[in-house]
Amino acid sequence: MAKLVAATYGDALFELAVSQNQVDSIYEEALAVLNAFEENEELGKLLNHPKVVKEEKIKVIENVFGQFVSKEITGFLVTIVEKDRSREILDIFTYFVGRIKEYKKIGIAYVATPMELSKQMKDKIEAKLLATTDYKSFEMNYNIDESIIGGMVIRIGDRVIDSSIRHKLDELSRELVKIDV
């Protein structure tokens, strides 16, 4: 249910941004809103508190965000509060940011390797991903996973490219199990 709410509201904000030709500015403001909620847990708690009346929550939104973001984002936040969807604010804005990244063809890649990669290797990986996908740029996330032994595992969205030695050993052992001796 929460994903449906995030998608519905996120899509509405996306359509607003595109129709008003304000994709970049609303995207930046959405990142600022996300940052504000992530850095100030008390703000989320206040908006979700059952004993705080809706009118007070709306005043808080207008006071906190009114002078820092556009009237579109402030109005959007007020609408979320009015519709009792305060709990989904982070999910809504996270969904919206993802939608904008897809629109701008910014991919998010997660690369796992058994050891730290040099800057040159990271650049080669990113260049190869750019050459083999439709994305114009990537947000690269690297982590070390010694259990993959060698090679790497790359995840972009729901696609996984597993060229790790661990994966190849698993495939080999499955094939060996099938052999009748």
Side-chain angles (χ1 to χ4, degrees):
M1 177 71 169
K3 287 185 179 182
L4 180 62
V5 170
T8 302
Y9 281 84
D11 286 339
L13 185 58
F14 176 77
E15 294 300 325
L16 173 76
V18 171
S19 69
Q20 292 192 354
N21 223 12
Q22 294 182 324
V23 171
D24 291 331
S25 62
I26 291 180
Y27 171 70
E28 292 300 323
E29 290 178 357
L31 290 174
V33 169
L34 271 174
N35 191 37
F37 277 97
E38 288 170 354
E39 287 183 0
N40 304 302
E41 289 180 22
E42 298 300 316
L43 179 59
K45 288 179 183 176
L46 175 75
L47 292 178
N48 293 317
H49 199 284
K51 292 191 177 182
V52 177
V53 294
K54 202 177 288 187
E55 290 75 22
E56 287 298 317
K57 293 176 184 180
I58 291 170
K59 283 182 188 174
V60 167
I61 290 291
E62 289 171 343
N63 289 336
V64 170
F65 294 104
Q67 57 191 337
F68 300 109
V69 296
S70 66
K71 64 180 179 14
E72 288 85 5
I73 292 290
T74 305
F76 185 69
L77 285 165
V78 167
T79 301
I80 292 170
V81 171
E82 286 174 343
K83 300 291 184 185
D84 293 321
R85 298 295 188 193
S86 301
R87 292 194 188 288
E88 285 90 14
I89 287 176
L90 282 176
D91 292 337
I92 292 167
F93 279 90
T94 301
Y95 176 87
F96 170 76
V97 166
R99 221 21 240 280
I100 292 295
K101 285 180 181 177
E102 282 296 319
Y103 178 77
K104 294 174 86 172
K105 300 225 180 267
I106 301 170
I108 302 171
Y110 297 90
V111 180
T113 58
M115 63 189 151
E116 183 68 32
L117 296 175
S118 67
K119 169 96 171 92
Q120 190 177 22
M121 274 303 290
K122 289 178 180 180
D123 291 344
K124 275 182 152 178
I125 292 168
E126 186 173 356
K128 184 70 171 175
L129 291 175
L130 287 170
T132 57
T133 64
D134 293 333
Y135 293 110
K136 293 180 181 174
S137 66
F138 272 98
E139 288 181 8
M140 302 297 291
N141 300 287
Y142 294 94
N143 75 315
I144 297 172
D145 180 358
E146 293 175 357
S147 72
I148 65 175
I149 304 169
M152 67 181 67
V153 178
I154 302 173
R155 184 172 59 84
I156 303 169
D158 59 355
R159 293 183 294 174
V160 177
I161 303 149
D162 191 342
S163 66
S164 67
I165 291 175
R166 179 184 64 196
H167 178 70
K168 290 180 177 158
L169 287 172
D170 289 343
E171 284 180 335
L172 184 60
S173 69
R174 282 192 294 273
E175 292 300 316
L176 287 173
V177 168
K178 292 179 185 177
I179 296 175
D180 288 331
V181 181

